């Protein structure tokens, strides 16, 4: 959590940069994603998006991301990720989607990506395999970090 943080000023900043951030996330389409603004989010202090990759004829990876998250200094927060159908999990398709997100981040000078609230050993191993590392302590949400070099 940020210290000495003015949430009211942050909300103004988020609103002033929303169009720019919408354009930035829309550029994921060049990496094979379909991008949707998460209209269900009522969060005024961050921008939520769903990015959807159809990486094979019958498999879809959906990733929920946050830009301008007020709780962290990360450029991108990955809050959800699902590969469907379930029988297509654990064969590398999710890793291919994450590789595309990491390439997009590097190409757009985004330096810090965070997978938040990672639950369970299997999920932790997924993020480690994709070169994310556990956040330094305290790590109450079990976040994993990727820093673009």
């Amino acid at each position: 959590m940020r210290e000495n943080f003015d949430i009211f000023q942050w909300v103004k900043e988020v609103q002033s940069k929303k169009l720019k951030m919408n354009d930035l996330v829309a550029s994921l389409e060049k990496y094979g994603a379909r991008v949707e603004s998460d209209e269900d989010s009522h969060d005024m202090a961050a921008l939520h998006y769903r990015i959807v990759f159809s990486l094979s004829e019958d498999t879809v990876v959906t990733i929920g991301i946050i830009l301008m998250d007020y709780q962290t200094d990360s450029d991108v927060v990955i809050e959800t990720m699902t590969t469907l159908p379930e029988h297509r999990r654990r064969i590398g398709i999710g890793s291919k989607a994450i590789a595309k997100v990491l390439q997009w981040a590097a190409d757009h000078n985004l330096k810090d990506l965070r997978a938040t609230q990672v639950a369970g050993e299997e999920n932790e191993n997924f993020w480690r395999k994709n070169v994310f590392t556990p956040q330094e302590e305290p790590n109450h949400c079990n976040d994993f970090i990727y820093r673009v070099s």
Side-chain angles (χ1 to χ4, degrees), residues 33-78:
R34 186 177 78 246
V35 178
E36 307 166 354
S37 178
D38 187 350
E39 300 302 330
D40 294 332
S41 173
H42 299 289
D43 187 351
M44 297 295 293
L47 301 171
H48 296 253
Y49 302 90
R50 272 187 296 275
I51 54 178
V52 181
F53 291 95
S54 297
L55 295 171
S56 71
E57 187 174 301
D58 66 342
T59 307
V60 174
V61 178
T62 304
I63 303 172
I65 65 169
I66 305 171
L67 300 183
M68 299 190 71
D69 178 48
Y70 66 96
Q71 298 181 66
T72 72
D73 288 323
S74 296
D75 296 312
V76 178
V77 176
I78 300 169

Side-chain angles (χ1 to χ4, degrees), residues 126-145:
F126 171 83
W127 292 108
R128 283 187 180 98
K129 179 177 78 170
N130 287 285
V131 200
F132 283 68
T133 57
Q135 174 185 305
E136 295 176 9
E137 295 296 334
N139 187 6
H140 305 294
C141 293
N142 201 32
D143 291 356
F144 279 64
I145 309 295

Side-chain angles (χ1 to χ4, degrees), residues 3 18 20 47 59 83 85 96 102 131 137-138 149:
E3 295 184 27
K18 185 174 183 170
K20 180 181 174 185
L47 301 171
T59 307
T83 301
K96 288 178 185 176
L102 295 178
V131 200
E137 295 296 334
S149 48

Side-chain angles (χ1 to χ4, degrees), residues 5-17:
F5 184 70
D6 182 345
I7 188 69
F8 300 107
Q9 182 60 37
W10 184 255
V11 168
K12 289 179 186 176
E13 186 173 345
V14 167
Q15 293 308 309
S16 73
K17 292 183 177 177

Side-chain angles (χ1 to χ4, degrees), residues 77-88:
V77 176
I78 300 169
E79 61 178 343
T80 60
M81 182 172 170
T82 306
T83 301
L84 292 175
E86 285 188 40
H87 74 273
R88 301 288 290 164

